[in-house]
Amino acid sequence: MQSSAFLFWWNFAILLYSFCQISGPDERSIPGNTIAVQADMPFSGLTTFGTAFLSKFECSQMPHPLLEHITFVDTPGVLSGEKQRTQRAYDFTGVTSWFAAKCDLILLLFDPHKLDVSDEFKRVISSLRGHDDKIRVVLNKADQIDTQQLMRVYGALMWSLGKVINTPEVMRVYIGSFNDKPVNESATGPIGKELFEKEQEDLLSDLKDIPKKACDRRINEFVKRARAAKIHAYIISHLKKEMPAMIGKAKTQQRLIDNLLDEFGKVQREFHLPPGDFPNVDHFKEILSGYNIDKFEKLKPKMIQAVDDMLGYDIPDLLKNFRNPYD
């Protein structure tokens, strides 16, 4: 059975495989190349990352009621220190971006003894842009240090996150020791034990809401993609309009790519679009360089109006009649 929600987390342990766990009639492991071609599984898009990734991807199947609603995905750890010099055989940030777009919740796990934010981790954070509402930061194994050290570790973690996550809001960090062992009271004391228990309750409450929120998130992601498609149509039609009819097409295309941020500004002002809906400039430049702008389509106002009608009328009507199947 195809699961209906993704729970996705990063750990800083260096693992060999990307790993997911799904529901199935029996207990077995399925290699990545096999699971990616199964029509009833949501992993066919991973074939774009090639055998180099799929050979490192593995799926575990077992019968369990929880797995009928949630798929757990664990990633290889983010490299840090000298290990960053080791080149992965596949596009790691591309894979994480693919999963982030399809998951319902992302857990970033930190260890109090490993708080460094490596260059690869910064790239991972950049690949999560647009999915900030899914991210939950977890400071695990917090009972391995005393209360005074925990205050310093928490402050250091918030400082490190502030450098890589460009948002004025303070991120919610769950603190505790999330395993099946009792809290080490000799280090944390009774106050620490009470804090960890409340934090664990909050995190579990957040996790239990995943299946209930999955349907709403599907609609939310659909709306985001529709808005992105609308912005994309405005951009490519504007670039097409800027191209000359006969001479100097190659030079004009290169000029448009080099000054893409300014072109985004022109599109934004002309059609009164929110700047936050525009794509990443550097990524768009990279993709754009592989295409001939002169071959782009002109803007079709009727199609834009259809998207606006869908966002303004069809989606609100759908939400009114939508019934959550998990209730």
Side-chain angles (χ1 to χ4, degrees):
M1 180 183 295
Q2 181 175 332
S3 302
S4 43
F6 279 112
L7 174 61
F8 186 32
W9 69 85
W10 278 282
N11 202 331
F12 280 80
I14 304 302
L15 304 178
L16 179 60
Y17 293 98
S18 295
F19 174 82
C20 76
Q21 191 162 31
I22 62 174
S23 175
D26 55 0
E27 294 187 16
R28 65 190 181 101
S29 295
I30 307 172
N33 285 286
T34 302
I35 198 71
V37 297
Q38 287 189 219
D40 60 337
M41 290 292 149
F43 303 112
S44 59
L46 293 173
T47 56
T48 57
F49 299 103
T51 305
F53 168 72
L54 292 175
S55 62
K56 301 291 185 182
F57 181 59
E58 187 173 301
C59 191
S60 175
Q61 173 184 288
M62 65 177 295
H64 193 284
L66 177 63
L67 294 177
E68 294 179 3
H69 303 295
I70 297 179
T71 294
F72 294 93
V73 181
D74 189 14
T75 73
V78 178
L79 299 175
S80 61
E82 290 295 322
K83 293 178 180 177
Q84 291 186 83
R85 298 182 181 179
T86 304
Q87 295 295 321
R88 298 185 191 270
Y90 59 90
D91 181 8
F92 179 67
T93 54
V95 173
T96 54
S97 180
W98 187 91
F99 274 111
K102 293 166 179 59
C103 75
D104 295 279
L105 194 68
I106 302 170
L107 297 184
L108 292 177
L109 301 183
F110 285 87
D111 188 308
H113 302 293
K114 300 174 184 177
L115 295 178
D116 63 312
V117 178
S118 64
D119 293 337
E120 185 173 62
F121 180 69
K122 291 178 182 178
R123 291 193 294 272
V124 167
I125 292 295
S126 296
S127 73
L128 297 181
R129 295 280 164 77
H131 307 291
D132 309 64
D133 57 316
K134 302 178 183 179
I135 301 175
R136 303 292 185 273
V137 180
V138 178
L139 180 57
N140 195 21
K141 304 178 184 178
D143 63 345
Q144 295 183 0
I145 55 179
D146 60 35
T147 306
Q148 186 177 13
Q149 290 176 316
L150 179 59
M151 291 175 61
R152 293 172 180 166
V153 167
Y154 179 80
L157 176 59
M158 297 301 291
W159 182 80
S160 298
L161 289 174
K163 291 174 61 180
V164 295
I165 302 178
N166 296 320
T167 174
E169 294 84 9
V170 178
M171 294 203 68
R172 172 70 159 93
V173 178
Y174 294 96
I175 304 172
S177 183
F178 300 96
N179 53 45
D180 57 355
K181 298 178 182 179
V183 175
N184 181 14
E185 287 192 66
S186 61
T188 63
I191 298 179
K193 182 176 183 297
E194 182 181 356
L195 170 65
F196 292 171
E197 289 175 349
K198 289 182 178 179
E199 290 285 287
Q200 183 171 329
E201 289 176 4
D202 289 349
L203 180 57
L204 289 176
S205 177
D206 215 351
L207 299 181
K208 288 176 182 176
D209 283 341
I210 294 176
K212 293 181 181 179
K213 295 178 179 178
C215 297
D216 292 335
R217 192 174 294 282
R218 295 292 182 275
I219 296 177
N220 184 55
E221 291 299 321
F222 177 77
V223 170
K224 284 168 62 176
R225 293 191 66 173
R227 291 169 66 91
K230 178 182 171 181
I231 295 290
H232 185 79
Y234 278 128
I235 292 172
I236 62 173
S237 64
H238 169 78
L239 296 175
K240 163 74 173 179
K241 188 172 62 174
E242 294 293 311
M243 293 293 290
M246 296 289 292
I247 303 173
K249 292 184 178 182
K251 289 183 178 180
T252 302
Q253 172 159 334
Q254 189 59 50
R255 176 180 59 79
L256 290 172
I257 293 176
D258 292 340
N259 300 295
L260 192 58
L261 184 60
D262 294 335
E263 301 304 322
F264 279 8
K266 293 177 183 178
V267 175
Q268 179 197 342
R269 290 188 294 272
E270 181 180 355
F271 298 102
H272 308 288
L273 302 171
D277 285 354
F278 280 74
N280 179 274
V281 175
D282 294 332
H283 181 66
F284 205 90
K285 280 183 180 180
E286 182 181 348
I287 300 298
L288 197 62
S289 61
Y291 289 87
N292 186 349
I293 295 179
D294 195 49
K295 301 295 183 182
F296 286 171
E297 296 287 338
K298 294 182 179 179
L299 189 67
K300 298 178 180 178
K302 287 185 178 180
M303 297 185 71
I304 296 295
Q305 186 60 50
V307 174
D308 288 337
D309 291 342
M310 181 267 293
L311 294 174
Y313 302 103
D314 297 340
I315 293 298
D317 289 343
L318 176 64
L319 291 173
K320 289 178 183 177
N321 301 319
F322 194 81
R323 183 179 179 275
N324 193 332
Y326 300 107
D327 287 342

